[in-house]
Amino acid sequence: EEKPTYLIFITDGLPTTGVVDSQEILQQFGRVCPENVRLFAFGVGYDVDTLLLDGLSQEHHGASDYVVPGVKIDEVLSAFYSRISTPVLTNLELDFGDITVYDLYPSPLPDLFRGSQIILAGRYRQGEVATVTLRGEVDGKEQVFRFPEQVFTQNDTRLGAIPRLWATRKIGHLLNQVRLNGADQETIDQIVRLSIRYGIVTPY
């Protein structure tokens, strides 16, 4: 229990027997899955439930990959094994001090592996200078990294593509909620507002 356990789920199709509803599968798996499990999903071919695989991996600190016909799955898996063989930091947590942050994506944070990076996009309410603290574990021991005097600007027009990156992730999250729970007007209105403001094409 003190170390992450990696679960690899490979499938070439859709749920066809037993429980076949994606939302129910996600809920049942969430109830019985230990907290130290990281789920990595591989969908092979075109006829796979991407919503289910993305949901399983995102909610359990993993990632999902898709292999189309003609691509050698052994090469994809070999690259995957190389990537996860050296975890640098697990059970990541970010503390922004007195800064109020919200709408952070990805959430929860995935593990960090050697040679990889994590880009966290989110929003904050009030610009100021703060110390950001990153906590994680290596071989069951807590590691703490502090980054003092990080500047959170107020009304800065030089942010470039960062707002659009956040909006893309927010819209992706909302679209997943629609696919899982059905469309409601409030969610659709949020998607439309974001898509118009940031110039992102959506089904709506």
Side-chain angles (χ1 to χ4, degrees), residues 125-142:
R125 297 198 182 280
Q126 185 69 36
E128 57 183 275
V129 177
T131 295
V132 176
T133 304
L134 172 65
R135 289 184 173 82
E137 295 180 4
V138 178
D139 293 328
K141 297 179 180 178
E142 185 182 55

Side-chain angles (χ1 to χ4, degrees), residues 136-152:
E137 295 180 4
V138 178
D139 293 328
K141 297 179 180 178
E142 185 182 55
Q143 301 288 323
V144 179
F145 305 90
R146 290 184 175 84
F147 305 92
E149 299 183 2
Q150 298 299 305
V151 179
F152 291 75

Side-chain angles (χ1 to χ4, degrees), residues 168-180:
T168 301
R169 293 191 174 184
K170 172 72 173 181
I171 287 173
H173 169 76
L174 293 173
L175 289 173
N176 273 344
Q177 295 305 304
V178 168
R179 287 192 288 264
L180 279 172

Side-chain angles (χ1 to χ4, degrees), residues 45 68 83 90 103 106 146 178 185 191:
V68 297
R83 179 163 62 89
T90 62
D103 279 349
R146 290 184 175 84
V178 168
Q185 196 57 49
I191 294 171

